Amino acid sequence: MPVQSSPENFQPPNAPLDELALAEIKTAIVSKLTLGIGKEAALATKHDWYKAAALALRDRIVYRWLLSEKESYDGGRKRVYYLSLEFLIGRLFTDALNNMGLLPLFDAALGDLGVGLDDLRKCEPDAALGNGGLGRLAACFMESMATLEIPAFGYGIRYDFGLFRQIISQGWQKEYPDEWLGFGNPWELQRPEVVYQVYFGGHVEHVADSKGRDRAFWTPGETVQAVAYDTPIVGWRGQHVNALRLWSARAPDPLLIDVFNTGDYLGATAHEARAESICKFLYPNDESAAGRELRLRQEYFFVSASLQDLIKRHLASDGQIRGLAKKAAIQLNDTHPSLAVTELMRILVDLHGLRWEDAWEITKATLSYTNHTLLPEALETWPVELFERCLPRHLEIVYRINEIHLGLAETRCPGDVDFRASVSLIDERAGRRVRMGHLAFIGSHRINGVSAMHSDLMKETVFHDLNHLYPGRITNKTNGITFRRWLMLANPGLTDLLRATCGEEVLDDPSRLERLEAFAGDNAFQQEFRDVKHRNKVALARLIAERNGIKIDASALFDVQIKRIHEYKRQLLNILETVALYYAIKDEPQRDWVPRVKIFAGKAAASYRYAKLIIKLINDVAEVVNNDPAIAGRLKVVFMADYNVSLAEVIIPAADLSEQISTAGMEASGTGNMKLALNGALTIGTLDGANIEIRDHVGAENIAIFGMEALEVVARRAQGLDANDVITRSPHLARAIRAIDAGAFSPDDPARFASIAHALRHLDHYMVSADFDSYFEAQRGIDARWRAGPAWTRAGILNVARMAWFSSDRTIREYAEEIWNVPSRPAAQQSSPRQALR
């Protein structure tokens, strides 16, 4: 039997290796290489070795997985089902090794076999199942649920190509398929016996049953099958394992033989291609009618399969559909799974024969909804015509929910037509559209924001009237990150320093980071802290040289903005300040300028032309700045292509400055801000999202806040979007805009960025121009602090010391106690390394 990870044999870093366990693991890897891959060691490629090692590790995980399942079923425990269109899980190999406590053993075993663990790690592609913070949060939450021993299932889609692979060609973003499954996926287990029928289109008939009650019968026009693939998610120290179940789409009949035999070979497989398109790409371009329909089909496909699956599991263990809310908590991660409200009602009423009122109470008690944005375009709406064509029964359910809901609205605010229009599930203003955010709100017993400010703004903005109608439903659950990946794996040097300073217990209890505060001003410790950061910066500089061909100085200030490219995240403000700084250095080359490297990374949605133009501007500015001898290398600009989890794991530990500069009131939370601060970067940011809570925890003196606050943004927008008043008062800003507009960075096409210059002058919706001077001055304050080296280091140490609250374990524990009503393992019960070695 394979060596399993448990508290008794957990192998902490630097502990003496168990020679018997080491021999057993080497044998297991070679066995998998021979019998699982079909290769002899002498002929095996690095990828063969990676897959053999991953399969050997998976065997050990499966034992814990099956035991976790048995324990939760035997105990009759309530389960959490986390529905998310994104799961940005990244590479799993070293993550699972670390959590299972087998990283030192596998490292030694592979070394004895003549292969390096780091080389094998690079063979694993990033699982391209997410776009950014939303998907990465879901991955952190799954890991924390396993760590806290909460029985849980994650549900999503097994995309063939994920989002896209970003290539930068002549400064422009180009999108290509990300073939992350090209060599197979050793972590997943296909469940060919777990198949559900998902229906689309057709028509609905109504008849009275024997009791005179109306019964709906949906005759669909199309059937797609959902096939399950399971990936184990390992909790810290391997004590509990949960499943991430992803659905792949296929047609019930892969080939129409009669059509094929007529010679119409494409027609014989057209229905299969239509079905499989559901799981081809994450977020297909929705500019076309076909793209919008595919997005809706994706969302219903995974919601329907997931609900069918969890209800089947519930009935097998509990037997009573009416007890669903007591045994299952379903969390909707943003608006994408909102169709769970109507689908659960359809299943309860149409398939299980429950009365509408009873079904509605079960639905509300089972579902809860996380809102991630205040942006209107992200609160999805679907044209009624499209909804009716794809999901006719669900539109009927929407109408009935809305009828009862509007009756309550009339009771609460009699005669107030505007109030009813505001809370209605159907937006009648610009074509009739179904409001999915409203549907999720009405159908859930709890709605949470993801930072204190965001949750407060939800009550005042997008859900103001719904909050009035259903008071007490909105709560806050500030996001968190898993320290296992974003500290222990991403930054082993800092982790070793923390273990030596705070004690081994810091691996289990993040609150032990507070012990660092006593060393923040210690010269010797500061030097150790700087040494760790410098080694990380050297590693990033080496990667930039390899990928971008740009040589950078590791002693310069690494100024990092890594996130999805969007106007509200204001990469434009950053590059605009870069242009202003560039000209300031050229004007006064004799000044003692702080050497600075501006590092950007992130993807723009394929259809988001303006965001893609910003990427082009960043790269055009980089081309000029990086090749201008007049500034003597004191400013460099780098755009790193194809940003993903693995690239983040290299950039974040090397960052000195974390750019969190969104327009105030528009960022729900952010988690990159937490990861960077945890790794010792200082934050420059607005009072937006979780920046506020980071300021409150790390101290206002250890963060650089600038710009307007949310209410000031609202007030300025109300006065108009023209920014010529602030431009006139700001020579640096005026000069930067003129240069961009005149083609100083695009001599081959001087008018390329005219639309950007026009927006900065006349359509400053995101307050880029309005906030520029405040941002520019804050950056000069950063320069001054950087020159005072010990003060900068002290602030970085205090950022690390005060970040414990931002662990996703804390966030999940709050969900468990206050929304899901499920028990979780208290922090005090997490095994310490000393207990693990008993």
Side-chain angles (χ1 to χ4, degrees), residues 509-529:
D509 184 2
S511 68
R512 301 299 177 99
L513 289 172
E514 294 173 357
R515 296 179 179 180
L516 278 185
E517 294 203 29
F519 298 89
D522 182 86
N523 290 335
F525 182 80
Q526 283 199 0
Q527 187 58 53
E528 289 184 273
F529 189 84

Side-chain angles (χ1 to χ4, degrees), residues 736-748:
I737 295 175
R738 283 198 305 272
I740 291 169
D741 195 19
F745 302 98
S746 55
D748 57 319

Side-chain angles (χ1 to χ4, degrees), residues 367-380:
L367 298 179
S368 48
Y369 160 52
T370 300
N371 173 273
H372 283 277
T373 182
L374 302 173
L375 297 178
E377 66 267 24
L379 289 172
E380 290 182 311

Side-chain angles (χ1 to χ4, degrees), residues 414-447:
D416 191 336
V417 176
D418 291 339
F419 180 76
R420 291 201 307 276
S422 172
V423 299
S424 175
L425 290 178
I426 308 299
D427 185 351
E428 307 277 0
R429 292 172 301 179
R432 304 181 70 236
R433 302 179 71 90
V434 182
R435 292 165 161 161
M436 303 308 290
H438 282 43
L439 179 63
F441 191 110
I442 295 166
S444 299
H445 70 283
R446 284 289 182 273
I447 297 88

Side-chain angles (χ1 to χ4, degrees), residues 218 300 342-351 394 397:
W218 179 18
Y300 178 65
T342 51
E343 177 68 355
L344 186 52
M345 285 297 292
R346 183 187 74 85
I347 291 172
L348 295 176
V349 174
D350 294 358
L351 304 185
H394 296 75
I397 293 171

Side-chain angles (χ1 to χ4, degrees), residues 378-551:
L379 289 172
E380 290 182 311
T381 63
W382 296 111
V384 166
E385 179 275 328
L386 172 62
F387 209 99
E388 184 173 31
R389 176 159 45 83
C390 291
L391 302 168
R393 176 56 181 148
H394 296 75
L395 184 61
E396 291 185 347
I397 293 171
V398 166
Y399 284 154
R400 185 164 179 186
I401 293 171
N402 203 37
E403 180 183 3
I404 298 168
H405 162 65
L406 291 180
L408 178 62
E410 175 62 22
T411 302
R412 183 64 58 88
C413 299
D416 191 336
V417 176
D418 291 339
F419 180 76
R420 291 201 307 276
S422 172
V423 299
S424 175
L425 290 178
I426 308 299
D427 185 351
E428 307 277 0
R429 292 172 301 179
R432 304 181 70 236
R433 302 179 71 90
V434 182
R435 292 165 161 161
M436 303 308 290
H438 282 43
L439 179 63
F441 191 110
I442 295 166
S444 299
H445 70 283
R446 284 289 182 273
I447 297 88
N448 72 279
V450 290
S451 71
M453 179 185 183
H454 172 231
S455 298
D456 288 341
L457 286 174
M458 281 168 56
K459 299 175 185 177
E460 299 300 324
T461 57
V462 289
F463 295 136
H464 175 271
D465 290 339
L466 284 173
N467 183 56
H468 177 68
L469 190 57
Y470 303 103
R473 287 196 188 183
I474 294 179
T475 183
N476 179 58
K477 297 290 170 281
T478 299
N479 284 344
I481 58 173
T482 170
F483 287 17
R484 271 80 62 179
R485 182 181 283 268
W486 296 110
L487 181 61
M488 297 179 200
L489 277 180
N491 202 340
L494 180 57
T495 301
D496 288 344
L497 182 59
L498 296 176
R499 289 169 52 230
T501 308
C502 303
E504 294 290 338
E505 296 83 1
V506 75
L507 299 178
D508 296 277
D509 184 2
S511 68
R512 301 299 177 99
L513 289 172
E514 294 173 357
R515 296 179 179 180
L516 278 185
E517 294 203 29
F519 298 89
D522 182 86
N523 290 335
F525 182 80
Q526 283 199 0
Q527 187 58 53
E528 289 184 273
F529 189 84
R530 283 193 293 267
D531 288 346
V532 169
K533 178 67 74 173
H534 184 74
R535 287 194 293 271
N536 293 333
K537 292 172 70 174
V538 168
L540 177 57
R542 188 181 305 117
L543 183 64
I544 289 171
E546 292 171 1
R547 289 194 178 189
N548 295 67
I550 300 172
K551 184 179 180 180

Side-chain angles (χ1 to χ4, degrees), residues 60-225:
R60 284 140 187 83
I61 293 171
V62 167
Y63 280 100
R64 289 300 312 166
W65 187 7
L66 296 177
L67 184 58
S68 298
E69 284 277 290
K70 185 177 187 303
E71 288 173 348
S72 64
Y73 279 119
D74 289 349
R77 297 185 61 187
K78 187 175 183 179
R79 305 171 76 83
V80 174
Y81 298 98
Y82 197 84
L83 272 62
S84 179
L85 205 58
E86 296 186 36
F87 285 97
L88 195 56
I89 55 179
R91 291 168 171 162
L92 290 177
F93 186 37
T94 49
D95 188 55
L97 280 173
N98 184 55
N99 278 9
M100 289 289 287
L102 296 172
L103 190 56
L105 278 170
F106 268 71
D107 191 15
L110 289 166
D112 288 351
L113 293 169
V115 289
L117 177 63
D118 192 54
D119 289 337
L120 299 197
R121 180 182 179 275
K122 294 174 183 176
C123 291
E124 180 179 9
D126 272 53
L129 303 173
N131 181 27
L134 180 78
R136 186 54 232 169
L137 181 77
C140 285
F141 279 5
M142 287 299 299
E143 196 263 10
S144 281
M145 281 187 269
T147 293
L148 297 177
E149 298 185 9
I150 297 172
F153 254 79
Y155 282 118
I157 294 178
R158 183 180 180 267
Y159 303 102
D160 292 347
F161 301 110
L163 185 63
F164 57 80
R165 181 166 53 93
Q166 182 193 55
I167 300 292
I168 300 299
S169 176
Q170 297 182 326
W172 292 99
Q173 171 181 292
K174 302 294 183 183
E175 302 89 25
Y176 294 89
D178 190 345
E179 298 183 70
W180 72 285
L181 290 170
F183 284 90
N185 179 7
W187 302 109
E188 67 183 9
L189 292 117
Q190 184 180 1
R191 307 296 193 189
E193 76 283 3
V194 182
V195 179
Y196 295 98
Q197 314 298 320
V198 179
Y199 303 118
F200 296 96
H203 63 277
V204 182
E205 296 178 357
H206 290 264
V207 298
D209 65 11
S210 58
K211 297 180 181 179
R213 294 187 303 177
D214 178 78
R215 296 294 301 274
F217 291 91
W218 179 18
T219 303
E222 179 186 0
T223 301
V224 175
Q225 289 186 338

Side-chain angles (χ1 to χ4, degrees), residues 252-272:
D253 297 309
L255 181 71
L256 300 179
I257 294 179
D258 54 341
V259 177
F260 185 88
N261 287 336
T262 67
D264 185 3
Y265 306 129
L266 293 178
T269 58
H271 66 298
E272 175 76 353

